[in-house]
Amino acid sequence: MTSPLRQQAVNAEFLTRSYRISGEVSVRSDPLLDQLNDHLALFVHVERVFVSPLLDPATLTGNFRSVEVRKDTLGLVVLKRAEDGLPHRQGRYIGRDHIERPVVTVAAGFEVRGVMSLHPSVNVAELIRTTPEQFVLIFDASATLTARREVVFNGGAILLNRSQIEVFAALDE
């Protein structure tokens, strides 16, 4: 999944309960998931940004050279490519002995469906309850806005904020 040439930035859709923040994050020093899980930083720096309301996506609230997005208000981050969601230490999320575990969550006004790639010995529900990471990685995911079910975001990866999860289910248990 990883490329030998490290990208400099990733494009992402940052979704809160009311806004869509589209932009680019530098990953020269740390992958996006590592930045989101950094407990010492409250914000993530995003460049080349477009902001629009979720319920009126055609309305542009503004475009900015750069913004700081508060991480604890994010519900989820949608990434086009699965590899853009991987942290430096990838062994937890990919491996030849890992299996795909289908999951569904309700978080920040979105219904999220996808798979978690984990070692067979990992209890998915226990992982969600106990991991110290604020954001968890879901592959091949879709996020449907519950207030307007026709609004769907699809991506190779979704980074889901555990503190915003209202319901979580592992579908293979």
Side-chain angles (χ1 to χ4, degrees):
M1 275 192 187
T2 59
S3 165
L5 296 175
R6 188 92 171 116
Q7 330 181 171
Q8 300 296 309
V10 295
N11 292 312
E13 301 288 338
F14 297 87
L15 304 176
T16 69
R17 288 189 179 274
S18 47
Y19 284 93
R20 172 187 187 178
I21 303 151
S22 303
E24 217 173 71
V25 176
S26 171
V27 292
R28 275 177 258 161
S29 59
D30 284 315
L32 180 55
L33 184 58
D34 291 340
Q35 291 180 47
L36 291 171
N37 283 326
D38 178 355
H39 297 289
L40 300 177
L42 292 175
F43 295 86
V44 63
H45 183 77
V46 184
E47 297 178 344
R48 295 183 238 334
V49 178
F50 294 91
V51 178
S52 59
L54 277 177
L55 294 176
D56 188 11
T59 299
L60 185 63
T61 300
N63 64 339
F64 309 96
R65 181 178 302 152
S66 67
V67 300
E68 303 296 322
V69 178
R70 187 161 174 121
K71 296 185 305 187
D72 61 355
T73 64
L74 287 174
L76 48 125
V77 180
V78 181
L79 301 167
K80 187 175 198 171
R81 301 174 334 139
E83 55 268 23
D84 291 341
L86 292 169
H88 271 304
R89 298 185 71 190
Q90 299 176 2
R92 182 176 193 174
Y93 294 103
I94 59 173
R96 62 182 170 193
D97 57 348
H98 284 49
I99 59 171
E100 290 187 347
R101 312 282 291 280
V103 296
V104 64
T105 65
V106 176
F110 288 90
E111 180 182 299
V112 179
R113 292 180 178 273
V115 296
M116 294 183 79
S117 178
L118 301 166
H119 188 273
S121 66
V122 175
N123 178 312
V124 181
E126 185 71 19
L127 171 73
I128 291 298
R129 282 193 305 271
T130 63
T131 184
E133 295 178 344
Q134 183 174 355
F135 285 82
V136 293
L137 174 56
I138 300 176
F139 291 107
D140 300 321
S142 66
T144 303
L145 184 61
T146 56
R148 287 190 45 198
R149 298 203 56 83
E150 71 275 10
V151 177
V152 179
F153 296 90
N154 293 299
I158 286 183
L159 308 177
L160 183 65
N161 187 340
R162 285 181 45 247
S163 68
Q164 299 281 329
I165 294 175
E166 300 167 42
V167 176
F168 175 86
L171 299 178
D172 63 349
E173 293 183 350

